């Protein structure tokens, strides 16, 4: 019921964007972008409206104010998508109803996916019905590391098996960077812990949050051996110091992995971070224009097997 009310509230906003797109050609002049890491108002810890975004390392003073409601998150996220010509977003939340609300309000703009917190909270049996019905098309973000659960934990095996069975792409939080939750374990974010999963499911398409930052050597080793493993460039573009982000990105590109890196914003409840994330890549002067287009669009299109459908 309240979902219907929300959609009615969103209708005038969508009309507004439709008219704006006619009078603001600059957004359309931008080459298309795919955002591989978006959330439908989701953030895995309770935060009041107006709360600042995360930053590392402490002490640090981030700029920004968290949105108050899913409606505000949607409206502001879509506004930024229009402005930067983001044609598609890999969208997840633990609240599947909110994901479906966003998909309904902006058809063909999102790949609907469940955010997996602690294994079992969204049971695989329930998710199976959603995939079979075509209501979900991605797996993850799998955020089990936030609760100390590593990728090779048997509790996650049914989720990887489900993704393999339905051949949907998987986003997993496997990095040495994450929210301040009591269960978060840095050691559980080592990309090497994903190895047995990739051996078990050789055709599974998996991408790692922040390309495993800062486990650079481990990430390179894994990507060299497993061709279906990709990495996103998400919160590292706005949570950590910009030089550290650029240094990591340049190291991956120098290692020859520029065709397997994908833009993501991980905007959570700070939609303005999407633009900041885009600009952090645009200003990387060690990247050629072709390499930037690969990161912003081409690599994700290949990973998602879009076959040019959105160009
Ligand atoms: Zn995320």
């Amino acid at each position: 019921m309240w979902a219907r009310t929300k959609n009615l509230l969103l209708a005038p906003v969508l009309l507004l964007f439709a008219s704006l797109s006619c009078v603001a050609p600059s957004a359309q002049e931008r080459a298309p972008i795919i955002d591989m890491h978006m959330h439908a108002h989701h953030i895995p810890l309770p935060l009041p409206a107006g709360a600042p975004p995360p930053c590392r390392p402490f002490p640090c003073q981030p700029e920004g104010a968290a949105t108050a409601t899913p409606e505000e998150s949607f409206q502001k996220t879509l506004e930024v998508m229009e402005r930067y010509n983001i044609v598609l977003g890999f969208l997840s939340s633990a609240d599947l109803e909110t994901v479906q609300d966003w998909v309904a309000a902006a058809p063909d703009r999102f790949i609907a996916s469940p955010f997996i917190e602690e294994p079992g909270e969204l049971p695989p049996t329930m998710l199976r019905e959603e995939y079979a019905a075509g209501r979900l098309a991605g797996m993850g973000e799998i955020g089990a590391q936030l609760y100390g659960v590593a990728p090779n934990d048997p509790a996650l095996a049914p989720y990887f098996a489900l993704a393999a069975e339905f051949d949907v792409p998987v986003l997993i939080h496997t990095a040495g960077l994450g929210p301040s939750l009591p269960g978060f374990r840095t050691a559980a974010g080592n990309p090497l812990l994903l190895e047995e999963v990739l051996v078990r499911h050789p055709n599974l398409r998996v991408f790692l949050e922040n390309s495993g930052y800062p486990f650079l050597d481990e990430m390179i080793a894994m990507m060299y051996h497993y061709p279906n493993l990709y990495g996103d460039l998400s919160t590292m573009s706005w949570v950590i110091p910009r030089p550290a982000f650029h240094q990591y990105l340049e190291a991956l590109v120098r290692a020859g992995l520029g065709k397997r890196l994908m833009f993501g914003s991980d905007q959570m409840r700070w939609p303005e971070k999407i633009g900041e994330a885009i600009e952090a890549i645009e200003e990387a002067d060690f990247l050629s224009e072709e390499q930037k287009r690969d990161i912003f669009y081409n690599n994700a299109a290949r990973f998602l097997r879009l076959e040019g459908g959105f160009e």
Side-chain angles (χ1 to χ4, degrees):
M1 181 61 192
W2 74 290
R4 197 171 141 214
T5 309
K6 274 196 291 186
N7 286 340
L8 287 174
L9 287 172
L10 293 172
V13 177
L14 292 173
L15 283 174
L16 172 66
F17 286 126
S19 57
L20 275 179
S21 63
C22 297
V23 296
S26 60
Q28 293 308 314
E29 285 169 5
R30 295 183 67 97
I33 291 174
I34 297 172
D35 188 332
M36 288 299 288
H37 195 142
M38 303 187 103
H39 295 298
H41 194 67
H42 181 90
I43 177 166
L45 62 170
L47 273 186
C55 68
R56 294 290 186 279
F58 302 119
C60 47
Q61 291 185 316
E63 288 181 15
T67 51
T69 64
E71 292 79 8
E72 184 189 359
S73 289
F74 173 79
Q75 291 168 15
K76 290 185 172 172
T77 295
L78 194 62
E79 184 184 332
V80 178
M81 290 175 79
E82 292 291 323
R83 192 184 314 146
Y84 286 93
N85 199 18
I86 298 172
V87 295
L88 187 64
F90 188 95
L91 182 76
S92 69
S93 170
D95 178 357
L96 296 184
E97 189 183 349
T98 301
V99 171
Q100 296 304 342
D101 284 346
W102 288 36
V103 170
D108 302 324
R109 294 298 283 272
F110 297 110
I111 295 170
S113 197
F115 190 107
I116 309 299
E117 297 183 315
E118 293 191 76
E121 279 194 9
L122 288 179
T125 48
M126 181 274 283
L127 292 179
R128 165 181 288 282
E129 293 175 16
E130 297 295 305
Y131 290 112
R135 287 191 290 268
L136 293 175
M139 172 67 82
E141 173 178 349
I142 296 177
Q145 186 198 353
L146 280 47
Y147 307 89
V149 179
N152 59 359
D153 192 294
L156 286 176
Y159 294 94
F160 291 117
L162 200 54
E165 179 186 341
F166 285 92
D167 193 20
V168 296
V170 180
L171 164 59
I172 182 165
H173 188 126
T174 300
L177 192 64
S180 299
L181 286 169
F184 181 89
R185 288 296 177 271
T186 306
N190 189 324
L192 294 179
L193 298 175
L194 195 65
E195 185 151 29
E196 293 310 313
V197 174
L198 300 182
V199 168
R200 194 172 307 127
H201 303 292
N203 297 320
L204 191 62
R205 290 168 290 159
V206 181
F207 66 110
L208 265 56
E209 165 147 349
N210 285 324
S211 299
Y213 181 86
F215 295 107
L216 177 64
D217 294 344
E218 292 85 348
M219 189 64 184
I220 290 173
M222 290 290 284
M223 290 182 80
Y224 276 1
H225 200 70
Y226 299 98
N228 292 327
L229 182 63
Y230 280 55
D232 84 20
L233 308 168
S234 53
T235 46
M236 65 201 301
S237 65
W238 54 270
V239 167
I240 64 172
R242 184 66 48 84
F245 165 54
H246 280 172
Q247 187 178 32
Y248 196 77
L249 171 56
E250 187 171 19
L252 289 169
V253 171
R254 280 179 184 235
L257 295 166
K259 296 282 185 190
R260 309 252 295 278
L261 305 175
M262 306 184 289
F263 168 73
S265 64
D266 200 357
Q267 97 285 28
M268 295 176 275
R269 285 171 55 191
W270 298 276
E272 69 274 17
K273 294 299 175 187
I274 300 170
E276 209 175 305
I278 291 171
E279 285 154 20
I281 291 169
E282 285 180 339
E283 71 177 39
D285 55 16
F286 53 87
L287 294 177
S288 67
E289 285 309 307
E290 186 184 342
Q291 287 171 322
K292 289 177 189 174
R293 287 309 305 151
D294 283 346
I295 289 168
F296 280 130
Y297 188 90
N298 297 330
N299 296 344
R302 182 188 329 108
F303 183 77
L304 296 169
R305 302 182 192 136
L306 294 185
E307 296 164 356
F310 284 84
E311 281 279 22

